[in-house]
Amino acid sequence: MLHELLLALLGFTGDFVIDEREQAETLGLGAADDPLHQLPEEPTFRLAPDLSFLHPSERNVIQRLISLGFYYRELDHFATKSQNLSFIQSTKDFPLPHSPELLKGKLKKGSVYRRAIANGIVEILSVYRAAVLQVEQNLLSDPLPILATVTQGLNKFEVLLPPLYELIMEIEREDIRGGQLLNLMHKRCHCGVPELQACIQRLLWHGHQVMYNQLTYWMVYGILQDQHGEFFIQRQDRKNEGHELSHHDDITNLIQKSTDDGALTDWHLGFHIFLEMLPEYINMRVAESILFAGKAVKVLRNPTSSFRLQESSVRQSVLKGSCRVQGFLGTFGLEREIPQSTNLIAEDLLPQSEADKIDSMLKELKQSSEFQKRLFESAISSIRTIAANHLWQLVVVRADLNGHLKALKDYFLLAKGDFFQCFLEESRQLMHLPPRQSTAEADLMVPFQLAALKTVSDEDKYFSRVSLRMLSFGINMTATQVYFPNLKTNADGNLVPLQGRTLAESSLDGWDGVALEYSVDWPLQLFFTQEVISKYRKVFQYLIRLKRTQMELEKSWAAVMHQDHIDFANNRRDCKNNSIPQHRRRRSLPMWRVREHMTFLIRNLQFYIQVDVIESQWNVLQAHLQDSRDFTELVGFHQEYLAALISQSFLDIGSVSRILDSIMKLCLQFCWIIEQYESNPNLSELEHITEEFNKKSNSLYTILRSSRLAGSQRAPFLRQFLMRLNFNSFFEQTARGVLNVVKARPAIPFVQQE
């Protein structure tokens, strides 16, 4: 009977101790196909009912003891099953259609975390077996009292094995894996029993060993070692398995753009934080640092082929220079060193000493018996700083980030004013005609290249990256309708507004689709994303439209002054007609007053954007570039720089941007009428443009003075623009009654030609 009891404590039943579940399955009463039949709620070990010689108190003590044998057997079965990885399918292999596992529906995903927990359970069970062996040795040396000796030797396991059995029941029923398993262990650690707390902390330690190994692969080598999808860093295509095909198509389209786009795709779209597997005791900020550090190491360890060739050519030129000094023997040394230089590039980007430093920090965390949150977060922060610094070195120093930023400022923000002045001069006659969809880009390339020949020096290595594009096209229109999309020509040849449309409702002409593209290579693509380039393009289209409007206003003045000089010269030769120039001057005075107001507004808006916004924010960005050594900080500073450009230029305020577009359109219409004024004077349309311009400009001032904008973050910059516009209180006085106009504005006086 003693040996029956000891064997039952190790999970073996017999005549003295029986298993009710096994008896039920033998009689055909059990649900053998139930996946949970191996995990009953209560222990199924029972004393045989025909043992009549036992006292009820002894039966109760023995029943409590043999329950430990049930827990031991189930825990041992769970550990054996979890440690056996022979049934685990790899991500590329699939079970055969008629395999027994698939037919029974029992095929489960593998779990290295569950195997680690099983290793911890095996440790605990080995201690339990040693305690049973010690009880047996004590009984052999002193056989009395039996029950007291067994109870005293196994008493501490009565508070360990039942909670562990509840733990594996929850794991099996909920199919808990990966980070969820760590989270469950962390919650179970908070209990009032010191022995149980130490036991579960040991299990959690085993689970953390797997996590630290995955962190080492990810943050030291840039490799995602996660065959079963248990790590909280996962590839992006795991996020939505239901949309796997569409997402795969999107990634495929990105990869097809360039042979080196694989690394770029991995950086922007390749990996994400899988919240379902993120333990609750690791906050989101730390997880994002882990994600960034791994991606940065992956980038540093896997430079693209084009970058390798570029670096190899630089090294080759350096070695050739040294070879000339070394002479003939150096030539053979060069041939041995050049093939190795390509392999050394990745090591230069992330030196082995830095990788060893990251590895040692993770090993120190791994060897700790308990998970210490503050030490973990401090180590992750240090690793992230190392990765960010080396990525900064790659992008800022090796790839010349500041030079490309300066090039984007020169061409997208119109800092190279002489180039764009020349370009608009060369393309002015072309832009007086509607763009042709098939040849618009080719037509513009001629003045674009002419402007480059005249203004861009051969030392500008960034201009070759700039290309001209036409992103959108307007409706095919006549030359008149380019500037008057809401007007039609009547039978007399005069312009008449179309029914049901106003000047504010019509868009600008088709040449507003002119845009620039900028070609960037790896690794600058990590910094200059398509979203960033699109923001630059948005600002450029706004600035080039403003520049074109300002130039047209100046050209209209120059054209009329030229005509006035001709008239003056003719007047000196023909004194009889000296009244005609005087009449023309008096007739054109109101017209030039309007032009001066237009020029004042456009010039101050242009000066405000170029000086108060662009130059000011550029100086702020340059200060950040000099002080920061962190790649992510630079990305944030650059995003703030672009956001400030858009915000302080009012491009993100629909009401203001629409009014400014309408004002620029009115200015272009005005300039067109001025050019046609000598051959076809149209005073009624000039009056209409004058009235609309006054309304729009006063409305603009009213909106800029509104309390909503005055209380926003852009208020200091807004006041600079308002100060330029309203330095003599002219706008303030004219805008007071803009919403309640009582009398019509005075019309431009019409003087009969003699």
Side-chain angles (χ1 to χ4, degrees), residues 385-429:
T385 301
I386 293 173
N389 287 342
H390 285 282
L391 194 59
W392 175 89
Q393 183 76 18
L394 171 65
V395 175
V396 176
V397 179
R398 288 179 179 261
D400 189 21
L401 174 65
N402 201 34
H404 289 274
L405 286 173
K406 180 65 169 57
L408 287 170
K409 177 175 178 283
D410 287 342
Y411 295 106
F412 281 78
L413 304 183
L414 273 61
K416 227 176 202 0
D418 55 343
F419 169 77
F420 287 101
Q421 181 72 24
C422 184
F423 168 68
L424 291 176
E425 292 273 1
E426 297 290 343
S427 61
R428 184 168 180 262
Q429 296 300 324

Side-chain angles (χ1 to χ4, degrees), residues 298-498:
K298 187 177 181 67
V299 167
L300 294 170
R301 286 190 175 272
N302 300 279
T304 60
S305 57
S306 59
F307 183 80
R308 289 175 185 268
L309 291 175
Q310 180 182 358
E311 291 291 314
S312 298
S313 62
V314 173
R315 292 190 178 200
Q316 185 175 358
S317 62
V318 173
L319 290 174
K320 283 183 178 179
S322 62
C323 180
R324 294 189 185 97
V325 180
Q326 294 175 0
F328 180 76
L329 294 177
T331 304
F332 291 96
L334 176 65
E335 293 177 354
R336 292 192 300 269
E337 291 179 0
I338 289 177
Q340 299 176 359
S341 63
T342 303
N343 299 326
L344 296 176
I345 293 173
E347 185 176 349
D348 290 345
L349 299 181
L350 182 65
Q352 187 60 39
S353 59
E354 296 292 335
D356 293 341
K357 184 178 180 180
I358 297 174
D359 186 47
S360 63
M361 285 189 284
L362 292 175
K363 282 183 178 179
E364 185 177 353
L365 292 175
K366 186 177 180 180
Q367 293 171 358
S368 178
S369 59
E370 295 183 10
F371 180 84
Q372 299 182 10
K373 186 176 180 180
R374 295 184 62 183
L375 293 179
F376 179 78
E377 293 181 354
S378 176
I380 295 301
S381 178
S382 301
I383 294 172
R384 182 197 172 280
T385 301
I386 293 173
N389 287 342
H390 285 282
L391 194 59
W392 175 89
Q393 183 76 18
L394 171 65
V395 175
V396 176
V397 179
R398 288 179 179 261
D400 189 21
L401 174 65
N402 201 34
H404 289 274
L405 286 173
K406 180 65 169 57
L408 287 170
K409 177 175 178 283
D410 287 342
Y411 295 106
F412 281 78
L413 304 183
L414 273 61
K416 227 176 202 0
D418 55 343
F419 169 77
F420 287 101
Q421 181 72 24
C422 184
F423 168 68
L424 291 176
E425 292 273 1
E426 297 290 343
S427 61
R428 184 168 180 262
Q429 296 300 324
L430 175 63
M431 289 188 179
H432 280 187
L433 302 174
R436 293 177 294 182
Q437 185 170 358
S438 59
T439 62
E441 285 189 13
D443 294 339
L444 277 179
M445 283 305 298
V446 175
F448 190 78
Q449 293 173 356
L450 286 175
L453 290 174
K454 294 180 179 179
T455 60
V456 178
S457 65
D458 296 335
E459 299 177 356
D460 191 346
K461 59 182 180 180
Y462 304 102
F463 179 75
S464 60
R465 299 179 177 270
V466 181
S467 58
L468 194 65
R469 293 287 181 268
M470 282 292 293
L471 300 183
S472 60
F473 298 91
I475 303 174
N476 291 333
M477 299 174 293
T478 64
T480 302
Q481 289 172 329
V482 169
Y483 289 95
F484 304 113
N486 65 315
L487 302 176
K488 66 179 181 179
T489 306
N490 59 11
D492 299 331
N494 297 324
L495 296 174
V496 180
L498 292 174

Side-chain angles (χ1 to χ4, degrees), residues 30 74 131 159 268 365 381 412 459 505 592 650 672 694:
E74 296 301 325
V159 297
H268 294 296
L365 292 175
S381 178
F412 281 78
E459 299 177 356
E505 294 175 348
W592 296 125
F650 317 114
W672 178 260
N694 290 331

Side-chain angles (χ1 to χ4, degrees), residues 494-750:
N494 297 324
L495 296 174
V496 180
L498 292 174
Q499 296 296 327
R501 298 186 62 183
T502 62
L503 286 172
E505 294 175 348
S506 57
S507 62
L508 294 175
D509 63 88
W511 293 109
D512 290 327
V514 176
L516 293 182
E517 292 288 346
Y518 193 78
S519 172
V520 291
D521 300 327
W522 191 92
L524 287 174
Q525 294 164 333
L526 308 178
F527 192 88
F528 296 114
T529 63
Q530 289 299 319
E531 180 184 2
V532 168
I533 297 298
S534 65
K535 289 181 180 179
Y536 272 107
R537 190 184 301 119
K538 179 180 180 181
V539 177
F540 167 77
Q541 288 184 298
Y542 178 68
L543 292 177
I544 196 67
R545 190 160 61 239
L546 188 62
K547 179 74 174 177
R548 181 185 170 198
T549 304
Q550 180 256 343
M551 190 191 74
E552 289 295 332
L553 288 171
E554 292 178 354
K555 289 293 183 181
S556 64
W557 173 259
V560 174
M561 287 298 99
H562 179 69
Q563 182 62 39
D564 188 69
H565 292 162
I566 294 176
D567 292 341
F568 181 78
N570 294 334
N571 180 48
R572 294 293 300 271
R573 289 192 300 267
D574 189 4
C575 297
K576 297 181 180 179
N577 298 327
N578 59 355
S579 60
I580 296 179
Q582 298 297 329
H583 289 307
R584 183 177 290 134
R585 285 197 181 99
R586 287 197 301 269
R587 185 178 59 199
S588 60
L589 283 178
M591 181 172 59
W592 296 125
R593 190 179 300 114
V594 174
R595 192 210 71 90
E596 183 58 33
H597 290 169
M598 290 179 174
T599 305
F600 174 79
L601 178 58
I602 296 299
R603 185 190 299 119
N604 280 279
L605 176 61
Q606 191 178 28
F607 192 87
Y608 161 76
I609 294 177
Q610 291 290 346
V611 177
D612 296 339
V613 176
I614 295 177
E615 288 298 329
S616 175
Q617 294 301 320
W618 172 258
N619 293 333
V620 173
L621 179 62
Q622 288 297 304
H624 288 316
L625 284 174
Q626 294 177 2
D627 297 338
S628 177
R629 292 297 182 271
D630 191 314
F631 176 79
T632 52
E633 286 184 356
L634 291 185
V635 172
F637 292 144
H638 188 243
Q639 292 289 349
E640 293 175 1
Y641 167 72
L642 288 177
L645 294 185
I646 294 175
S647 174
Q648 295 174 25
S649 300
F650 317 114
L651 293 178
D652 58 341
I653 306 178
S655 57
V656 176
S657 61
R658 284 192 295 270
I659 289 179
L660 290 175
D661 285 342
S662 300
I663 289 176
M664 285 187 278
K665 178 178 64 64
L666 289 170
C667 293
L668 292 177
Q669 292 176 351
F670 177 85
C671 294
W672 178 260
I673 292 177
I674 293 302
E675 289 188 4
Q676 303 294 325
Y677 189 76
E678 293 296 329
S679 60
N680 185 21
N682 194 334
L683 296 178
S684 61
E685 184 58 31
L686 283 176
E687 292 178 4
H688 183 70
I689 291 177
T690 301
E691 183 178 358
E692 286 295 323
F693 172 77
N694 290 331
K695 288 181 180 179
K696 296 295 182 183
S697 59
N698 292 334
S699 298
L700 173 65
Y701 182 78
T702 303
I703 293 176
L704 295 178
R705 286 293 302 269
S706 64
S707 58
R708 182 174 65 88
L709 293 183
S712 64
Q713 296 180 352
R714 73 190 89 205
F717 313 97
L718 182 63
R719 284 194 288 270
Q720 295 182 13
F721 181 46
L722 289 174
M723 181 183 66
R724 295 187 183 280
L725 287 181
N726 194 43
F727 71 96
N728 60 354
S729 301
F730 172 78
F731 271 94
E732 182 178 0
Q733 294 175 1
T734 55
R736 286 177 180 175
V738 69
L739 298 179
N740 298 308
V741 179
V742 178
K743 60 180 180 178
R745 299 184 181 276
I748 297 178
F750 178 75

